[in-house]
Amino acid sequence: METERKKLYSAIQPTNNLTIGNYLGAIKNWVNLQSEYDCYYGIANMHAITVRQEPVKLRQKTLSLLALYIACGIDPEKCVLYLQSHVSAHAELAWVLNTITYVGEMERMTQFKDKSARHADNINMGLMDYPVLMAADILLYQADVVPVGEDQRQHLEITRNIAQRFNNAFSPTFTVPEGVYMKVGAKINDLQFPDKKMSKSAENPNGSIFLTDDRDTIIRKFKRAVTDSGSEIRYNPAEKPGVSNLLSIYSVFSDKTVAEAEADFAGKGYGDFKLAVGEVVADKLGPIQSEQVRLEADRQYLDGVLKSGAEKAARLANKTLAKVYKKIGFYQI
Ligand code: TYM
């Protein structure tokens, strides 16, 4: 008898330009895990509107993120790729989960505090409710594992709490998911401020390598990357945050361990090292970029992927939602 495979859920917001942080912290891991799990990969456009978006750009970024998923090696024949707003169960389950989530818990979320500071003129209810919608995403698909970067750890923890709280109050309903983090790559830092996370929305674009950057830009940014005092190329995030960040990037992009990466640069100077990191990143991103451009031009294909993705996603999501509605006492005809 065929055993049922475990389920995997993850998503990315179609906002700004994705960085190598998003690639290394999330997408690369997704590609590796797709043959092991039943995978659901969302495009989180409902999360995106918790900060202001230009409608035309949001639409464009949605398709280019889908094209990127596929260009990076996620196979739409094996995985369900879909747009969050196409499956109405996300909003419906989020509403139910809101009623078992406390305002105080949401106010304590680091990302809410950060984003409230950055968007002080738009601290809307959606921004605060963001983790509940994320919990709904994950729980609808009964996900066993959720591969994300380190910055999502707190949201994963609250998802687990919400799932357990519901299960205890109404009887077991949701799988309690585990976060999966890359050993190296779960937190890629800014090239100019190596104590800060590399971010899609950073003010200084020189600190982030965007997945759309061309070869010259990539190499220039790495050449300018902040290193540390001393001249040794050694992995030690506390003492050498700049060099360690570059070693992490090099090691994941070249599929080598950090120790192998260190060995590659034994006795070499920072200049050679930074050039080599730039080259390995540019070599890897080049083919992804051309494939993304090719796919973006094929609207019919992308629409087809989204359509079949939405149907498959809705099937499972609606099944979970129906269970929830029954358990909480919503009358069904
Ligand atoms: P988002 O769109 O901010 O980021 C997408 C993924 O990239 C990871 N990431 C990083 N990893 C390593 N180093 C970095 N510098 C770095 N920056 C970003 C993030 O951890 C994330 O995995 N809330 C989510 C989207 C989401 C979601 C979900 C994720 C919505 N629903 C359900 C998982 C499950 C977010 O904003 O990711």
Side-chain angles (χ1 to χ4, degrees), residues 89-297:
H90 289 258
E92 295 176 78
L93 181 61
W95 181 255
V96 175
L97 299 180
N98 272 332
T99 63
I100 59 161
T101 307
Y102 300 101
V103 171
E105 293 179 299
M106 295 295 102
E107 282 171 337
R108 283 196 292 276
M109 293 284 118
T110 317
Q111 199 166 79
F112 172 65
K113 289 194 272 188
D114 287 352
K115 285 194 179 168
S116 301
R118 266 191 286 136
H119 305 277
D121 59 337
N122 185 22
I123 307 176
N124 60 74
M125 289 300 293
L127 193 63
M128 189 165 163
D129 205 25
Y130 184 112
V132 179
L133 179 59
M134 188 162 151
D137 296 345
I138 297 168
L139 301 181
L140 275 176
Y141 298 93
Q142 304 288 6
D144 298 280
V145 295
V146 183
V148 279
E150 206 38 68
D151 62 336
Q152 297 299 317
R153 194 182 278 273
Q154 199 182 32
H155 290 162
L156 241 295
E157 278 311 306
I158 200 80
T159 299
R160 290 168 54 86
N161 292 345
I162 292 173
Q164 280 157 344
R165 202 175 294 163
F166 189 96
N167 289 349
N168 290 338
F170 298 99
S171 82
T173 308
F174 296 123
T175 303
V176 180
E178 299 282 344
V180 175
Y181 308 90
M182 294 281 267
K183 271 208 199 79
V184 182
K187 185 165 185 264
I188 295 300
N189 287 335
D190 191 284
L191 300 185
Q192 295 297 319
F193 303 96
D195 54 333
K196 278 196 346 200
K197 173 186 90 155
M198 186 181 286
S199 161
K200 293 191 251 191
S201 47
E203 272 164 36
N204 180 352
N206 287 324
S208 301
I209 303 290
F210 298 108
L211 295 180
T212 47
D213 281 345
D214 60 30
R215 188 176 189 89
D216 290 348
T217 309
I218 294 172
I219 289 183
R220 178 174 49 76
K221 286 182 179 176
F222 276 109
K223 274 191 184 158
R224 284 204 206 158
V226 168
T227 38
D228 314 288
S229 56
S231 59
E232 226 185 328
I233 297 165
R234 183 167 47 85
Y235 187 80
N236 183 336
E239 280 174 27
K240 292 183 150 266
V243 167
S244 303
N245 189 41
L246 295 176
L247 274 171
S248 301
I249 295 171
Y250 178 85
S251 99
V252 198
F253 269 102
S254 58
D255 287 315
K256 292 184 179 175
T257 64
V258 171
E260 286 168 339
E262 280 177 333
D264 282 356
F265 299 106
K268 299 231 170 87
Y270 283 162
D272 288 347
F273 171 48
K274 291 199 276 186
L275 180 63
V277 183
E279 280 176 342
V280 80
V281 173
D283 286 350
K284 181 83 185 185
L285 294 188
I288 293 178
Q289 291 168 347
S290 25
E291 182 61 0
Q292 186 186 11
V293 169
R294 188 188 71 78
L295 287 163
E296 270 173 339

